[in-house]
Amino acid sequence: MRKTLPVISTGPATGSGGCSTTAAAPARPGLPRWRRRTLRIALVRHHDLCLNTRQITQIQKRAGVLPHLGLGYIHTALKTAGFHNVIQIDTPALGLDAEGLRRLLADFAPDLVGVSTTTPGLPGAVEACEVAKSTGAKVILGGPHTEVYAHENLYHECIDYVGVGEGITIMPELAEALEQGEKPEGIRGLVSRDHDGGAAPMVNLEEVGWPERGGLPMDRYYSIMAPRPFATMISSRGCPFKCSFCFKQAVDKKSMYRSPEDVVGEMTELKDRWGVKEIMFYDDVFTLHRGRVREICALIGERGLKVRWEAPTRVDLVPEPLLKAMAGAGCVRLRFGIEHGDPEILRRMRKESDIEKIEKAVTSAHEAGIKGFGYFIVGWLDESREQFRRTVDLACRIPLDYASFYTATPLPGTPLHTESVEAGRIPADYWDRFVRGEFDSRIGYLVPDAQRRAQAAYRAFFLRRGMVKPLLSHMAATGQWRNTLDGLRSLARSTSNTDRDF
């Protein structure tokens, strides 16, 4: 019998986006040992072609290109299952358009192509699926988007299957079915035009192995925040908090932690094999299990690992002793989900936070020698000018070295989306029609001048006199002179007399 990956139960399988509850599929018979798996598989991340970005153009173009960890883990799972004719194609990193993707796929001649997407980035994913279908391959669409819109994606004829939930288990089972010439029915998490497999449950990443990076253009990945070469990692999954702007898949609602030994082992491999200078952790909340973080820091020290790293966290999960341990283990930056400077809007965001906690956490990190990066959302539903100004004032008052100001975007499946529809600010069926390709314009802002507010916030934060020294220090440490200076020049050119309105 083939080896199946261990899963972490998330309770009874429940349908999402029209997916029904199904029983676990029976195990398929394993292939005879003498038979070599010959199925050719391509895993694709394509340009977003994103109408619904939450970031302003001046920053989005220069922020960087980060590796896609999800496809890397799927690649590893496929190799474990015996499929070795697998490639990953990352068109943003390679600088390829649709025609470039077509040439690569035509040369490789895949039998199966998996494309990952988010809901805002769906137009680019559909373009990739059309290209893949033109080569004669079977096409499966996956990613967080598919949990809300499972069946709706099949409106596009270029998509044969939709993966809902854990692609790490769906892809090997689908590949095995196609390899054996079977109909891919009974696969949990697989949705097609005549089959509904519910949602595949979470997998223990430590049992899967580290994401496959061989064959990727590692030298092409970069972040405006980090020196090159850099890499991304994930040490835990899941988030128990319920912020109203955040979409959660079913697998996100169950926490999973990799062991300190496994985490530090991957960090060591990234440094030794790829020469990585900085690692960006992509956890939902890195410090959720503080005892584990202390063990990771201790192990980094014991092994003498010298590599910079950064991680996301919440302002209520960074006690001072933990900050000191992290700084001593190479943590150079913490990304705080601050979101807003107005207490009432923080309450409506369901942040379970307050201004005092924000000030204390950022100040404590600064005193421990860890730079602070603050995420903020402007243009919230019914946000007043005064509430917006409180956000900018807070960002400039606390010792942050960096800040990002997103415009509020009501993603499907979020409380913010429900509230925005009820308030009459957005059409109830916008995302349904967007998925079918009927919209070519962005979903409406929740306040008319949200984009201008975001630009004004960036200018107020980065173009003030107090930022000269931190920015020079940042550029010297990371080598990101060109991207940083280009971004600052672009912000400066966009300055207008309308800033006084804010």
Side-chain angles (χ1 to χ4, degrees):
M1 299 293 287
R2 65 183 175 85
K3 179 181 177 182
T4 57
L5 293 168
V7 299
I8 298 174
S9 174
T10 54
T14 56
S16 178
C19 296
S20 63
T21 301
T22 58
R28 297 177 181 277
L31 291 172
R33 293 192 178 188
W34 51 264
R35 181 176 175 183
R36 182 181 178 186
R37 297 177 187 268
T38 58
L39 201 75
R40 302 175 70 82
I41 305 167
L43 305 173
V44 176
R45 192 258 298 263
H46 194 41
H47 293 285
D48 284 346
L49 300 179
C50 187
L51 300 173
N52 287 291
T53 176
R54 298 180 297 164
Q55 186 60 275
I56 65 171
T57 303
Q58 293 99 317
I59 302 299
Q60 184 183 22
K61 288 183 177 179
R62 299 166 179 87
V65 179
L66 279 58
H68 194 294
L69 288 173
L71 294 182
Y73 275 111
I74 290 173
H75 193 162
T76 297
L78 285 165
K79 287 177 64 177
T80 300
F83 295 96
H84 295 282
N85 291 327
V86 182
I87 61 170
Q88 293 183 61
I89 302 177
D90 193 341
T91 65
L94 294 170
L96 297 177
D97 57 11
E99 183 55 34
L101 174 61
R102 190 188 311 277
R103 287 195 298 269
L104 275 182
L105 288 176
D107 288 343
F108 182 66
D111 302 294
L112 173 64
V113 176
V115 178
S116 180
T117 189
T118 60
T119 300
L122 182 63
V126 170
E127 180 179 84
C129 291
E130 290 172 343
V131 169
K133 197 64 182 171
S134 72
T135 68
K138 291 290 186 181
V139 179
I140 176 171
L141 182 72
H145 157 78
T146 59
E147 187 150 329
V148 177
Y149 294 107
H151 293 284
E152 290 84 349
N153 290 293
L154 296 170
Y155 171 86
H156 300 280
E157 294 183 1
C158 56
I159 299 172
D160 298 293
Y161 310 107
V162 174
V164 180
E166 195 68 271
I168 293 171
T169 59
I170 297 169
M171 282 296 287
E173 292 196 30
L174 174 59
E176 184 172 311
L178 296 177
E179 175 85 5
Q180 298 192 57
E182 299 178 356
K183 287 187 176 180
E185 297 176 352
I187 297 175
R188 188 159 174 192
L190 188 72
V191 177
S192 66
R193 290 175 176 81
D194 53 10
H195 172 69
D196 186 338
M202 180 186 282
V203 169
N204 186 333
L205 291 183
E206 194 159 339
E207 297 292 336
V208 178
W210 301 336
E212 176 61 47
R213 296 179 172 93
L216 286 174
M218 293 293 287
D219 59 329
R220 299 286 190 93
Y221 295 114
Y222 74 96
S223 166
I224 196 173
M225 302 305 303
R228 297 171 104 170
F230 100 112
T232 53
M233 268 185 66
I234 184 168
S235 80
S236 64
R237 303 174 76 185
C239 176
F241 302 98
K242 300 178 181 179
C243 302
S244 63
F245 52 83
C246 184
F247 170 71
K248 282 189 171 62
Q249 295 174 269
V251 296
D252 296 326
K253 299 173 185 178
K254 181 81 174 180
S255 296
M256 182 282 299
Y257 305 96
R258 292 172 57 192
S259 70
E261 292 77 15
D262 195 48
V263 171
V264 178
E266 185 178 353
M267 294 176 73
T268 303
E269 197 231 20
L270 286 171
K271 184 176 187 301
D272 292 347
R273 180 179 177 186
W274 303 106
V276 165
K277 296 178 180 178
E278 183 166 318
I279 295 169
M280 177 186 292
F281 281 98
Y282 243 49
D283 303 36
D284 291 299
V285 188
F286 183 77
T287 59
L288 192 59
H289 191 313
R290 282 164 278 181
R292 187 189 68 111
V293 174
R294 283 191 288 269
E295 291 178 17
I296 289 172
C297 293
L299 194 55
I300 289 173
E302 290 173 12
R303 296 189 180 180
L305 178 61
K306 302 296 183 183
V307 64
R308 295 161 50 107
W309 54 277
E310 63 162 271
T313 189
R314 288 173 54 94
V315 298
D316 53 352
L317 292 175
V318 283
E320 291 182 12
L322 183 63
L323 289 169
K324 293 177 181 178
M326 293 169 70
C331 179
V332 295
R333 188 179 309 108
L334 281 175
R335 305 194 304 276
F336 292 102
I338 297 171
E339 313 309 356
H340 216 276
D342 181 77
E344 171 59 21
I345 290 187
L346 282 176
R347 183 190 66 78
R348 289 168 50 200
M349 287 180 167
R350 308 180 191 181
K351 280 298 298 180
E352 300 180 20
S353 179
D354 58 49
I355 304 302
E356 183 179 352
K357 289 179 182 178
I358 293 168
E359 292 175 336
K360 181 179 179 181
V362 176
T363 300
S364 296
H366 178 77
E367 291 173 348
I370 298 175
K371 298 182 185 298
F373 185 126
Y375 288 111
F376 297 90
I377 298 176
V378 302
W380 194 258
L381 184 64
D382 295 327
E383 176 192 73
S384 68
R385 296 287 181 88
E386 183 58 35
Q387 288 173 320
F388 164 72
R389 283 193 288 269
R390 290 193 188 107
T391 297
V392 177
D393 290 345
L394 175 64
C396 295
R397 183 174 75 248
I398 57 181
L400 288 174
D401 294 87
Y402 322 93
S404 185
F405 299 91
Y406 293 102
T407 53
T409 300
L411 297 175
T414 64
L416 176 59
H417 181 266
T418 301
E419 294 166 11
S420 300
V421 170
E422 291 174 349
R425 303 303 168 81
I426 58 173
D429 63 348
Y430 173 88
W431 290 113
D432 294 1
R433 295 173 62 189
F434 177 82
V435 169
R436 295 196 298 269
E438 296 177 13
F439 271 121
D440 59 2
S441 60
R442 189 192 190 281
I443 193 169
Y445 290 115
L446 303 183
V447 295
D449 56 4
Q451 179 79 348
R452 287 175 52 217
R453 292 188 188 191
Q455 291 174 326
Y458 271 113
R459 289 192 289 268
F461 184 85
F462 282 106
L463 301 184
R464 58 195 165 109
R465 182 176 301 174
M467 283 302 294
V468 174
K469 185 176 179 180
L471 285 171
L472 287 173
S473 174
H474 169 74
M475 289 186 286
T478 63
Q480 292 289 341
W481 295 90
R482 180 175 179 178
N483 283 326
T484 304
L485 290 173
D486 282 353
L488 292 172
R489 280 194 291 265
S490 181
L491 286 174
R493 283 196 296 268
S494 65
T495 302
S496 68
N497 292 332
T498 58
D499 276 8
R500 70 185 64 171
D501 296 339
F502 302 113

